[in-house]
């Protein structure tokens, strides 16, 4: 191991960052310019919350990404070079994320996978763009597209796709006309709120009430009491896993029986566990990945995930797995070169993934379809 590598690892340890090597220690010949390396391992940063309320989400993401890296390394890596993946904890905090972006840039990482938190990704984007480090994120807020970085790509649909699909199902398929909304004021919640509200209004439905809560709120009785008075047919929820689960749990305790409906967070086991299996039953979810049993590819992925980690795979692990495979496919095309060439290669990559067929447009979005599922006994299954 070179002195430079020891210094890098020591610095990372001091910052509370933990590394997961998907390859052996750095080989001789590692260059200081990530865009022009020709030997040694290719350094990939995996950034997600590994602590705090969003740590479950970050853990799923990191596991999915590491699984893809391990599979590539088993086959010989990229252009004969191993991939070294290092996991960084952004704590779900934009300021922490920005500081990590600077560290990743200074340490000459070739690319980044993550984060799943849109606000953190948006905060990191200018630093990564300036350093010409391509980033494939699992966030879905339209603010990611609005950031306008040619180095930022999404490994799933935006909130617009999730919520247009959801609004059509609720209003057209189910015939619901009285829809209440409850969303948080964070980046994810605002993105979901705005996308669903716009889609519903375009379909001729104006929510009977539109409640906004904070990201750190724990008591939702006031907002839910207002919703209960409106007697809605369904309730749209724009919040992350834990908070959404608490909202549903408290709603049921107040006697609200209307089904809840939302996007990716409501399809996770953490949501169902937090809400309680009985309370979460009937929740309607818009998602590009309903279960591990939808295809031969998803079954193979789920089996590999289970074998590697002893846990069941779900959407967020699948998203990161797809995103990492897209990144490594593009790196193979550039023979390990990063920078602008890698960004161009990602944009040109057509990839048949677990979430669907990826083809990136000029905004960095690669997939534009979700389907509807319903939770039953804590499991998400396709709606009938």
């Amino acid at each position: 191991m070179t002195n430079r590598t020891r210094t890098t690892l020591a610095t990372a340890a001091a910052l509370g960052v933990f590394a997961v090597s998907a390859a052996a220690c750095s080989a001789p010949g590692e260059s200081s310019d990530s865009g022009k390396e020709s030997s040694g391992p290719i350094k990939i940063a995996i950034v997600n919350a590994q602590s705090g309320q969003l740590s479950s989400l970050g853990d799923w993401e990191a596991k999915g990404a590491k699984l893809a890296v391990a599979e590539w390394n088993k086959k010989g890596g990229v252009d004969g070079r191993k991939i070294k993946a290092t996991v960084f904890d952004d704590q779900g905090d934009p300021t922490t994320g920005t500081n990590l972006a600077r560290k990743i840039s200074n340490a000459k990482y070739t690319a980044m996978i993550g984060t799943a938190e849109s606000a953190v990704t948006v905060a990191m984007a200018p630093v990564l763009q300036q350093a010409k480090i391509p980033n494939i994120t699992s966030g879905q807020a339209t603010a990611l597209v609005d950031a306008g970085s040619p180095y930022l790509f999404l490994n799933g649909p935006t909130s617009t796709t999730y919520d247009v699909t959801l609004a059509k199902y609720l209003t057209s398929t189910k015939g619901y006309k009285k829809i209440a909304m409850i969303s948080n004021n964070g980046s994810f919640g605002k993105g979901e709120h705005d996308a669903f509200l716009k889609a519903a209004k375009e379909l001729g439905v104006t929510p009977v009430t539109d409640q906004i809560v904070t990201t750190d709120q724990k008591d939702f009785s006031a907002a839910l009491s207002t919703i209960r008075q409106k007697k809605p047919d369904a309730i749209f929820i724009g919040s992350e896993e834990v908070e959404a689960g608490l909202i549903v749990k408290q709603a049921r305790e107040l006697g609200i029986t209307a089904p809840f409906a939302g996007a990716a967070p409501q399809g996770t086991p953490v949501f169902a566990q937090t809400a309680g299996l009985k309370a979460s039953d009937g929740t309607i979810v818009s998602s590009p990945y309903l279960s591990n049993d939808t295809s031969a590819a998803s079954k193979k992925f789920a089996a590999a995930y289970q074998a590697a980690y002893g846990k069941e795979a779900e959407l967020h692990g699948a998203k990161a797995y797809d995103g990492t495979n897209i990144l490594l496919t593009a790196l193979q095309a550039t023979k390990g070169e990063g920078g602008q060439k890698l960004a161009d290669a990602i944009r040109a990559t057509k990839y048949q993934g677990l979430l669907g067929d990826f083809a990136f447009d000029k905004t960095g979005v690669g997939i534009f379809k979700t389907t509807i599922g319903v939770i039953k006994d804590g499991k998400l299954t396709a709606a009938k």
Side-chain angles (χ1 to χ4, degrees), residues 140-374:
Q140 64 191 59
T142 54
L144 296 165
V145 173
D146 296 339
S149 170
Y151 291 87
L152 182 58
F153 302 87
L154 280 65
N155 62 16
T158 65
S159 296
T160 299
T161 297
Y162 279 97
D163 295 322
V164 166
T165 302
L166 186 61
K168 286 180 178 178
Y169 179 80
L170 295 177
T171 61
S172 301
T173 303
K174 300 297 290 185
Y176 296 149
K177 300 303 178 186
K178 294 177 64 178
I179 299 175
M181 294 181 64
I182 181 167
S183 312
N184 71 36
N185 60 358
S187 177
F188 173 81
K190 185 179 186 307
E192 290 296 296
H193 169 277
D194 293 352
F196 183 82
L197 182 61
K198 182 176 185 292
K201 286 186 173 180
E202 288 178 350
L203 292 166
V205 174
T206 299
V208 294
T209 185
D210 185 359
Q211 297 293 310
I212 305 297
V213 298
T214 64
T215 56
D216 57 354
Q217 197 165 325
K218 298 294 186 293
D219 182 357
F220 307 97
S221 55
L224 291 172
S225 294
T226 299
I227 289 174
R228 183 176 59 182
Q229 292 172 5
K230 299 297 182 179
K231 299 180 179 179
D233 299 323
I235 305 164
F236 170 81
I237 185 168
S239 184
E240 294 85 350
E241 292 82 356
V242 174
E243 185 175 76
L246 291 174
I247 289 171
V248 172
K249 182 177 185 292
Q250 292 176 30
R252 300 304 183 224
E253 291 170 349
L254 285 172
I256 297 173
T257 58
F260 280 83
Q266 284 70 60
T268 66
V270 167
F271 165 76
Q273 291 161 8
T274 305
L277 297 184
K278 185 176 180 180
S280 66
D281 257 13
T283 299
I284 300 164
V285 181
S286 175
S287 174
Y289 187 87
L290 293 182
S291 79
N292 297 326
D293 299 320
T294 55
S295 68
S298 65
K299 291 176 182 178
K300 182 180 178 182
F301 160 71
Y305 191 100
Q306 179 71 38
Y309 308 116
K311 294 183 178 181
E312 188 175 353
E314 51 69 70
L315 165 66
H316 296 89
K319 288 177 74 175
Y321 181 83
D322 273 353
T324 305
N325 273 304
I326 290 168
L327 169 63
L328 299 180
T329 299
L331 269 171
Q332 186 71 29
T334 67
K335 298 187 181 300
E337 186 170 342
Q340 184 64 53
K341 282 192 175 181
L342 179 56
D344 291 342
I346 293 171
R347 200 177 305 279
T349 298
K350 304 293 187 292
Y351 181 78
Q352 188 174 0
L354 299 171
L355 274 65
D357 294 336
F358 285 83
F360 291 94
D361 65 9
K362 64 181 180 180
T363 70
V365 180
I367 196 164
F368 301 86
K369 181 182 178 181
T370 64
T371 52
I372 297 296
V374 178

